[in-house]
C-alpha cells in the first residue's frame, strides 16, 4: 500500500511562510488524487487543499484560498503545500492523504494518511 511521510512543519511568526512536502512510496502514486488536511487540538480534521492525479485541477478551503498553493511533481512523486501569509489560526498538525475519487473532500474518502507535521504560527 501507499506510504506517506510529511515534512516541513515548524514555528513561524504571523505573516511568515512554510512549505510542506509529502513523500510517497509504494503503489502508483501519480494516479492518486492528493489532499492536505489539518487538525487543531480538540477539533476535527479539516480539509485544506486537494489536487488531481494529473495536476489539472485544484481546490482550496475558503480559509486558505489566496494564501496556500498545492502542487505536485509526478516525476519525483512529492506533493507540496506552499503556505504564505500564515495566521495564528493556521496552527495545527497537517496531514497529507491520497484518494481515488474526486469531487468530495471530506476525510472519509481518503484511503491513506501520513503521520502529520506540526505547524505553529505565533503572534
Amino acid at each position: 500500500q501507499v506510504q506517506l511521510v510529511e515534512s516541513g512543519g515548524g514555528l513561524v511568526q504571523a505573516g511568515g511562510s512554510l512549505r510542506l512536502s509529502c513523500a510517497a512510496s509504494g503503489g502508483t502514486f501519480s494516479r492518486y488524487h492528493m489532499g492536505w488536511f489539518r487538525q487543531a487540538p480538540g477539533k476535527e480534521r479539516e480539509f485544506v487543499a486537494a489536487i488531481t492525479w494529473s495536476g489539472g485541477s485544484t481546490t482550496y478551503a475558503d480559509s486558505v484560498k489566496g494564501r496556500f498553493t498545492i502542487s505536485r511533481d509526478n516525476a519525483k512523486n512529492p506533493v507540496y503545500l506552499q503556505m504564505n501569509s500564515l495566521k495564528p489560526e493556521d496552527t495545527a498538525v497537517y496531514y497529507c492523504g491520497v484518494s481515488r475519487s474526486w469531487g468530495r473532500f471530506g476525510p472519509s474518502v481518503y484511503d491513506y494518511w501520513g503521520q502529520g507535521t506540526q505547524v505553529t504560527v505565533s503572534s
Side-chain angles (χ1 to χ4, degrees):
Q1 64 179 28
V2 175
Q3 307 292 323
L4 303 172
V5 179
E6 303 95 335
S7 62
L11 173 64
V12 297
Q13 295 288 330
S17 297
L18 284 173
R19 189 192 193 199
L20 306 184
S21 298
C22 180
S25 62
T28 54
F29 176 76
S30 65
R31 302 294 295 273
Y32 282 78
H33 309 301
M34 180 69 205
W36 285 97
F37 289 73
R38 65 189 182 187
Q39 189 166 19
K43 303 293 180 63
E44 296 183 355
R45 192 164 296 189
E46 174 190 27
F47 171 74
V48 175
I51 188 167
T52 56
W53 68 266
S54 67
S57 295
T58 60
T59 190
Y60 298 90
D62 288 342
S63 59
V64 306
K65 192 173 298 181
R67 299 188 297 121
F68 292 10
T69 303
I70 187 170
S71 62
R72 71 186 303 163
D73 183 345
N74 288 332
K76 294 190 173 183
N77 291 336
V79 174
Y80 305 103
L81 185 69
Q82 178 67 46
M83 306 185 295
N84 298 325
S85 302
L86 283 162
K87 304 174 181 179
E89 51 263 44
D90 296 318
T91 296
V93 177
Y94 283 70
Y95 299 89
C96 62
V98 295
S99 174
R100 292 189 180 274
S101 63
W102 183 254
R104 293 171 290 134
F105 304 104
S108 63
V109 304
Y110 283 78
D111 299 319
Y112 304 102
W113 299 95
Q115 85 291 343
T117 186
Q118 177 71 50
V119 172
T120 302
V121 184
S122 63
S123 178

